[in-house]
Amino acid sequence: MSDAYGVGVSDQQQSEQPDRRPGRRVVVVGAGMAGVQTAVALREQGFTGPVVLIGAEPHQPYDRPPLSKAVLLGKAEDSAFEVDFEALDIELRLGVEVTGVRPDAHELDTPSGPVGYDALVIATGAEPVVLPGTEGVPGVHLLRTLDDAARLRPVLGERHDVVVVGAGWIGAEFATAARAAGCGVTVVEAADRPLAGAMPAEVAAPMADWYAGIGAELLTGARVDRIEPGRVVLADGRTLQAGAVVVGIGARPATGWLAGSGIELGPDGSVTADGALRTSAPDVYAVGDCASFPSARYGERLLVHHWDNALQGPRTAAANIIGAAADSAFEPLTYDPVPYFWSEQFDRFVQYAGHHGGADTLLWRGDPADPAWSVCWLRDGVLVAVLAVGRPRDLAQGRKLIEAGASLDPERAADPAVPLKTAVRD
């Protein structure tokens, strides 16, 4: 049976094809967290039409966070989602690369032919940024997929000396896992501190000491000139021996396949979704790491590359797909979350909620030299973000206060002995 609606069929056959009402047949491109959650949310919210989930990888859909932890260290073989797709009547098409979309025809292009849709959800996630000049160099690794983790696991098992390029979240998590496996670890960061693209200098600077605490060496202000088999050559001439090199210098939306589709993309390559997670093309939605959305809460467009966004956004998209199919006058739901993520690194549990980009006040709760501390960001007295290191209660209370738009008393909020929820101004 062909997926191409109305192409090369008789009038009688055309009449047997599904109609074009929005949401009648939903196709989801991308079988990561965002794609799987979209398909599951459609069923949980009562959608009974066909749902097709297309994934480029041949593996059963899996969760990514364990890749840098349990899977990498050999404590788990995989991290497949515990979803019974057959019982939910979700059609899986794995190992299928979607090469384009033609919104006017409501069709996707794949090597095996066109796939028709009535509503399309783009959930292709993000892809790691490749260090120029490293393609094809033996011993250079990325850590984004299950296959990446499988290739890296024997490296850790053999306790090679490892050089990590990039001291961001993924670099820190891999360095932690590699040290736990007994590898020598050197982390090379071009900026003058870790997490330079994610945290202000005064917050990120104390985190540099975490590397030495587990026996990893952190080199800041160090640029890579080239990588050769078995070694990394820095721009200042220093040479680092490396049994393996792991590159973690960021990720960008995996949206190259949308070229020529007319679907609007932002300067960062993300799909430009509206508040209902609809794209510029009719009946096309976007969720997860590949999509930006306008936040009324923060007054700017956000691109959130974190697990919680890939979990929450699909619920809104699913509701809007179902609502649009049921009622042309349906008022779509708006997606405006408090972003949240966590990271396990250097024997610490780090959590962050909100968005501190427009903050005008930074408050410390505790000493960053201690095992547990947190930071609050305020804008016009209103709590907009919180970072918690080993203080989960601060995170839990802070997240609720951000959602409520609560104003805090700065003096009380800066006292780590005062629960955040009691620092709210009367």
Side-chain angles (χ1 to χ4, degrees):
M1 184 177 70
S2 173
D3 282 306
Y5 295 159
V7 178
V9 296
S10 67
D11 290 342
Q12 179 181 1
Q13 288 173 315
Q14 286 185 5
S15 67
E16 294 171 353
Q17 298 295 328
D19 66 30
R20 290 287 188 192
R21 287 178 295 168
R24 179 65 177 173
R25 183 178 196 247
V26 181
V27 176
V28 183
V29 181
M33 169 62 83
V36 168
Q37 287 300 321
T38 299
V40 170
L42 284 164
R43 291 299 188 228
E44 288 180 341
Q45 296 179 32
F47 182 76
T48 58
V51 176
V52 180
L53 180 62
I54 301 176
E57 295 182 57
H59 308 292
Q60 192 74 3
Y62 61 87
D63 203 5
R64 294 191 188 279
L67 297 185
S68 61
K69 305 173 184 70
V71 175
L72 187 61
L73 291 172
K75 298 178 181 179
E77 285 302 312
D78 59 39
S79 55
F81 292 112
E82 295 182 1
V83 175
D84 191 334
F85 294 100
E86 184 176 358
L88 291 173
D89 194 22
I90 296 170
E91 180 185 349
L92 282 182
R93 298 190 187 183
L94 303 177
V96 176
E97 183 179 1
V98 177
T99 57
V101 58
R102 289 170 285 118
D104 289 345
H106 278 60
E107 286 182 346
L108 297 167
D109 293 321
T110 75
S112 58
V115 176
Y117 66 84
D118 295 303
L120 171 66
V121 181
I122 299 170
T124 43
E127 55 194 5
V129 175
V130 176
L131 190 66
T134 62
E135 296 89 341
V137 177
V140 178
H141 300 265
L142 300 169
L143 181 53
R144 182 72 183 181
T145 68
L146 185 61
D147 289 338
D148 292 337
R151 285 187 287 266
L152 275 166
R153 191 154 57 184
V155 172
L156 270 59
E158 295 166 11
R159 298 186 177 180
H160 287 292
D161 286 340
V162 178
V163 172
V164 181
V165 182
W169 298 114
I170 191 65
E173 290 189 0
F174 179 81
T176 301
R179 286 298 298 141
C183 298
V185 177
T186 302
V187 180
V188 178
E189 171 57 51
D192 61 355
R193 62 186 186 277
L195 295 171
M199 290 289 147
E202 61 266 45
V203 176
M207 297 178 177
D209 295 335
W210 295 358
Y211 288 81
I214 64 165
E217 183 177 11
L218 173 64
L219 302 179
T220 57
R223 294 187 176 275
V224 174
D225 179 71
R226 64 188 183 276
I227 298 178
E228 301 171 349
R231 65 178 193 161
V232 175
V233 181
L234 302 182
D236 61 8
R238 283 179 291 176
T239 298
L240 307 174
Q241 299 304 309
V245 178
V246 177
V247 178
I249 56 175
R252 55 172 158 247
T255 55
W257 64 282
L258 295 173
S261 68
I263 294 175
E264 183 182 352
L265 303 180
D268 53 13
S270 65
V271 180
T272 304
D274 67 7
L277 299 178
R278 300 171 297 195
T279 74
S280 61
D283 307 322
V284 180
Y285 299 74
V287 295
D289 290 4
C290 68
S292 66
F293 55 90
S295 171
R297 185 190 310 277
Y298 292 106
E300 61 183 281
R301 180 168 288 274
L302 300 181
L303 174 62
V304 181
H305 282 187
H306 295 301
W307 186 91
D308 191 66
N309 178 52
L311 173 68
Q312 304 295 343
R315 297 170 181 169
T316 299
N320 288 336
I321 290 169
I322 295 170
D327 182 2
S328 59
F330 170 74
E331 188 67 29
L333 302 182
T334 298
Y335 184 62
D336 193 6
V338 173
Y340 166 75
F341 77 90
W342 79 95
S343 177
E344 296 175 82
Q345 53 183 268
F346 310 109
D347 300 320
R348 292 169 171 84
F349 187 46
V350 182
Q351 295 175 282
Y352 176 92
H355 176 67
H356 64 267
D360 53 41
T361 302
L362 184 153
L363 302 175
W364 288 93
R365 286 174 59 81
D367 186 338
D370 293 338
W373 49 273
S374 59
V375 174
C376 294
W377 285 270
L378 310 182
R379 183 179 62 204
D380 297 329
V382 175
L383 183 65
V384 294
V386 59
L387 171 74
V389 177
R391 290 179 64 96
R393 184 173 298 178
D394 278 3
L395 189 288
Q397 294 182 9
R399 190 176 184 182
K400 292 179 180 178
L401 295 175
I402 296 169
E403 290 173 347
S407 294
L408 300 188
D409 178 320
E411 184 175 347
R412 289 181 58 77
D415 184 347
V418 174
L420 270 180
K421 64 181 181 181
T422 65
V424 176
R425 287 187 183 276
D426 295 331

